[in-house]
Amino acid sequence: MNNLAYTSQDAATVGAKVEEKVREEVGASAPLPYQLEAGDAGAATVGSFLGDMAGALLGGKDKTLFNLQFELPHARPSHLQVSVNRQGVGSHVGLLLYTAELSKPVFGEVALEEPKFFGKSKFAGDAAACGKLNANGELIKRANNLARVESQSGGLTLKIKRCCKIVPREGGSTLIIGTLPRPVKMGFGAAIDAKDFFDIADMVEACL
């Protein structure tokens, strides 16, 4: 059972376990190649905005041992950065930072509001895009569910800041969602919800 918490801090050992989980969730038939980056060098190859964003979402609370960078097999260019954090003499998967390129543009940043005690948060920012996105109740529900800000892993409570946004880029826009592993099977397993991310990307594209 792979609950994304490990007794090892070895990058090769942990990386293989994480790859196994990612491959399972995206339905790939062959092992997925990935790049390994030291925890303090996340901005070097994946682009400064991803490295900076990961640091901002974590708020410096977790000591990241290393990041694993996956190009996900999907119809649209999609990427997953998995942050592996130190936990005693072992480690656990913390922040999962998904990005996908959308062909439709937005003319200003759009972001899901902070979690609410009652009801679902909606998108705020570029008015035209928000109107279209907020009109889709299923999208709002699923975006709120995936953009988790708290979860459990290896007996720890993990917390990050809310991140679900669409930002302009040349030739379209980019969807960025930060989340945490979701415990399953009484905590003996964990899900990264890759298919939910793909579904949300498709829904956002359709709405825009």
Side-chain angles (χ1 to χ4, degrees):
M1 198 76 70
N2 190 346
N3 67 353
L4 299 177
Y6 308 108
T7 55
S8 173
Q9 294 182 358
D10 178 69
T13 301
V14 174
K17 292 283 190 182
V18 173
E19 184 278 329
E20 190 177 81
K21 170 59 67 175
V22 176
R23 182 184 356 143
E24 172 193 325
E25 292 218 11
V26 301
S29 56
L32 299 174
Y34 60 88
Q35 289 185 311
L36 174 71
E37 292 179 347
D40 58 357
T45 61
V46 76
S48 60
F49 86 98
L50 268 190
D52 293 346
M53 182 172 292
L57 293 178
L58 293 170
K61 295 176 185 174
D62 291 307
K63 176 61 178 174
T64 301
L65 292 169
F66 49 85
N67 296 312
L68 303 171
Q69 309 288 350
F70 292 89
E71 298 298 333
L72 301 177
H74 192 256
R76 71 178 80 253
S78 303
H79 184 93
L80 169 62
Q81 175 177 292
V82 179
S83 296
V84 177
N85 303 327
R86 177 178 288 122
Q87 182 177 345
V89 296
S91 60
H92 66 265
V93 169
L95 175 67
L96 302 165
L97 193 57
Y98 286 99
T99 60
E101 293 183 9
L102 309 179
S103 60
K104 292 182 181 175
V106 291
F107 300 100
E109 183 174 302
V110 175
L112 195 64
E113 298 167 331
E114 292 298 315
K116 296 180 177 180
F117 285 110
F118 301 103
K120 299 291 186 184
S121 303
K122 293 196 171 185
F123 287 97
D126 180 72
C130 288
K132 296 174 184 176
L133 297 170
N134 289 332
N136 188 323
E138 182 65 16
L139 170 60
I140 294 298
K141 175 184 173 184
R142 295 188 67 171
N144 273 273
N145 288 344
L146 182 58
R148 289 183 283 277
V149 296
E150 186 172 320
S151 190
Q152 304 288 325
S153 178
L156 292 180
T157 297
L158 308 180
K159 294 184 179 182
I160 58 171
K161 297 176 183 177
R162 165 63 59 87
C163 177
C164 177
K165 60 177 66 178
I166 303 113
V167 298
R169 70 171 177 85
E170 188 173 345
S173 56
T174 301
L175 172 66
I176 306 167
I177 298 182
T179 189
L180 292 164
R182 176 172 56 86
V184 297
K185 300 176 182 175
M186 304 292 288
F188 291 104
I192 63 170
D193 295 326
K195 289 183 178 177
D196 283 346
F197 174 73
F198 293 149
D199 288 348
I200 289 170
D202 290 343
M203 294 171 79
V204 169
E205 182 90 84
C207 287
L208 294 175

